[in-house]
């Protein structure tokens, strides 16, 4: 499967915009990604191993938070996983 890396995190993934992994579940895919690119782990996960609140993950355009099996969801070759960091902040200028 292909995991798409957002621009702000590419510096921690060898400047790649996508990484191919062979995995059986979402959790396995992310584990293989962070094993191949260890610097990504601290940006994706908290110290207790949970995905950071501002990290959104989509499997084939489906938000993983709303899938029945969440990170235990089965994946297959041809699937795509997108990591989308939440964007917040700014000022109300009105």
């Amino acid at each position: 499967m292909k995991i798409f890396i957002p621009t702000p995190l590419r510096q921690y993934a060898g400047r790649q915009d996508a990484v191919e992994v062979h995995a059986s579940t979402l959790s396995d895919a992310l584990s293989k990604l962070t094993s191949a690119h260890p610097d990504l782990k601290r940006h994706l996960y908290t110290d207790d191993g949970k995905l950071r609140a501002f990290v959104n993950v989509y499997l084939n355009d489906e938000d993983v938070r709303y899938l029945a099996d969440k990170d235990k969801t089965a994946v297959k070759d041809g699937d795509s996983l997108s990591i989308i960091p939440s964007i917040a902040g700014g000022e109300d200028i009105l």
Side-chain angles (χ1 to χ4, degrees), residues 16-82:
Q16 298 176 83
D17 63 350
V19 175
E20 293 273 346
V21 299
H22 297 284
S24 58
T25 65
L26 284 170
S27 178
D28 186 32
L30 289 171
S31 177
K32 288 183 177 182
L33 173 67
T34 57
S35 290
H37 302 283
D39 290 338
L40 272 176
K41 190 167 189 169
R42 66 186 167 100
H43 297 281
L44 299 178
Y45 291 96
T46 62
D47 290 339
D48 60 353
K50 294 183 180 166
L51 268 177
R52 293 189 179 278
F54 62 84
V55 175
N56 301 305
V57 179
Y58 292 83
L59 175 64
N60 301 325
D61 299 324
E62 293 282 334
D63 190 332
V64 170
R65 293 175 292 189
Y66 302 111
L67 297 176
D69 294 329
K70 307 228 185 277
D71 66 342
K72 293 180 180 31
T73 299
V75 296
K76 60 189 179 311
D77 288 342
D79 280 345
S80 65
L81 192 63
S82 299

